[in-house]
Amino acid sequence: METIDQIYVDGAYVTPHGTELFDLHNPATGDMIGRVRLGDETDARAAIAAAKRAFPAFSQTSKADRIAMLRRMHDAVTARADALTEAVILEYGAPASRARWMAEYAASVLADAARTLEDYDFTRRIGSATVTMEPLGVVGIITPWNSNAGFICSKLAMVVASGSTCVIKPSEMSAMQTRIVLEALREAGLPAGAFNIVNGRGDTVGAEFSTHPDIAKVSFTGSTATGRAILKAASDTFKRVTLELGGKSPMLILDDADFAEAVPFALQAGYMNSGQACIAGTRILVPEARLAEFEAAIAAGVATIKSGDPRDPATAIGPMVSEKQWQRVQSYIRRGIEEGATLLAGGEGRPEGETGGWFVRPTIFTAVRNDMAIARDEIFGPVLSIIAYGSEEEAIAIANDTSYGLHAYVASADPARARKVAGRLVAGRVIINGAPMEPLAPFGGFKHSGIGRENGVFGLEAYLEPKAVMG
Ligand code: NAD
């Protein structure tokens, strides 16, 4: 059993003032695997003060210095890819291949930020003015459990690139990942106070970040409900905010789609990260004329998907992160049945043969209406809804009829037609026919999916404030 009982403030490991011990569980067995001692408001304030002291010098570092720091951070996180993969499997339950990807992603975002910074000019002329892009000050970073290491690194990367300093409150459920990332970041040798990490609860440490007058910006990834609370709390002190929140993303299967390709695309987009993905394509919109054909094809596809032991290389869906999350998924499956949707695959309970652990059955509902709760709420588990449509116009209307706007997917035999449809979708990102992600493209959502964008130059500018000097 691992006990994590230190936080990182002003360039040193320290014992927190907070004394609460939080249990860590292995979601694949339900067993307790460790404990983390949580910091409190006093710890948050000490960390903010350290970041504030570090800011004047850090903001004066050169672009070359910061590129070098990002490269060292990248190398140090890369060197711990094995340990990080293991922590992600043990503490979060991601299937092994996904866990490896997550560990590599945590490193690659640091290299991506270095690339963005290399090409970025902090000064430009606009008419008679010289405009400089200025760092903000102290940034508060708050991360979720479904991609804790990745979001610590991607947000910190932009803070360092911009010349700001920060305090980080990782998900309290991800302390093992945080410990490994912290070891790596420490080795990269940033100045004391440039980044500080306080394990703690959202309503204590997180709330302190959202209200403290010395925090200039909060960068948050998590649920829409928490994002709303942060936005309100941050308003008194006019903090800048970047909020990356939930989604209920549509997967538009156009009537010319080749189902041999569209079905694996829909299953991958729907079940990625065991369904615990903000960008999951959970509403599958299918033309009525081909509905029966699609249902047969996706039912056959889902039958080949293994949900179970994350260490088994054949596993595509690991356990839900916690019992609470498992119960949430079960309750939505019951709700779908009560609302009159038809179960095409999966259902309540654990997959056959799985007794311990928070495993769920890959589930697909059909005959879903877009006003049902299973089509409107973010379930955050492997539960997909098939919604039939008549015309392409209707498909676009259903796709956009959601309070979210994070992501969308389009499957079509005609890429030009798919791009035309993509142009009409209200979503921060659209993926056509399984195209790979572009790491430097902006990431973020419309409507209740958040405020602001991360990654690349749009992400960097979210940490900068323009200043115009004339004369
Ligand atoms: P959550 O909102 O419960 O928690 C996220 C973080 O916020 C945690 O660190 C938590 O401790 C902290 N927190 C909780 N209450 C707080 C408060 N009052 N003030 C400040 N901080 C507080 O979300 P979660 O359950 O950890 O993560 C799942 C959610 O994250 C899903 O809704 C998912 O869609 C979303 N998500 C979004 C993205 C994206 O980029 N858009 C990516 C991953 C996850």
Side-chain angles (χ1 to χ4, degrees), residues 358-447:
W358 297 317
F359 297 104
V360 293
R361 299 169 69 192
T363 296
I364 302 182
F365 279 106
T366 190
V368 177
R369 285 191 328 267
N370 201 44
D371 63 354
M372 292 178 178
I374 53 169
R376 301 215 76 81
D377 299 356
E378 183 181 53
I379 299 172
F380 229 53
V383 181
L384 309 182
S385 291
I386 295 177
I387 302 169
Y389 68 83
S391 64
E392 189 174 292
E393 207 53 40
E394 193 193 345
I396 293 167
I398 296 170
N400 290 336
D401 177 12
T402 166
S403 58
Y404 294 111
L406 188 60
H407 224 278
Y409 303 83
V410 184
S412 169
D414 177 356
R417 181 180 170 204
R419 277 194 290 275
K420 225 166 140 188
V421 170
R424 298 185 55 200
L425 299 176
V426 183
R429 268 192 184 185
V430 185
I431 293 209
I432 296 171
N433 293 337
M437 286 282 189
E438 167 49 63
L440 299 189
F443 178 75
F446 286 70
K447 302 191 271 182

Side-chain angles (χ1 to χ4, degrees), residues 141-148 151 155 169-173 200-210 218 220-227 229-230 233 243-247 273 276-279 321 324-325 328 378 380 404 406 443-445 449-450 454:
I141 291 175
I142 302 174
T143 66
W145 45 257
N146 72 332
S147 184
N148 180 63
F151 281 114
K155 291 174 189 296
K169 191 207 87 60
S171 168
E172 57 276 36
M173 294 165 69
R201 288 191 183 272
D203 57 3
T204 55
V205 176
E208 189 67 26
F209 288 7
S210 319
V218 177
F220 168 78
T221 297
S223 63
T224 294
T226 305
I230 290 174
L243 303 174
E244 300 291 356
L245 311 176
N273 208 10
Q276 300 176 130
C278 52
I279 60 172
V321 71
K324 186 175 158 210
Q325 197 63 25
R328 179 183 167 85
E378 183 181 53
F380 229 53
Y404 294 111
L406 188 60
F443 178 75
S449 288
E454 299 197 291

Side-chain angles (χ1 to χ4, degrees), residues 292-314:
E293 184 195 346
F294 186 83
E295 286 174 346
I298 202 160
V302 80
T304 67
I305 289 184
K306 182 170 162 42
S307 168
D309 178 6
R311 291 181 194 279
D312 180 342

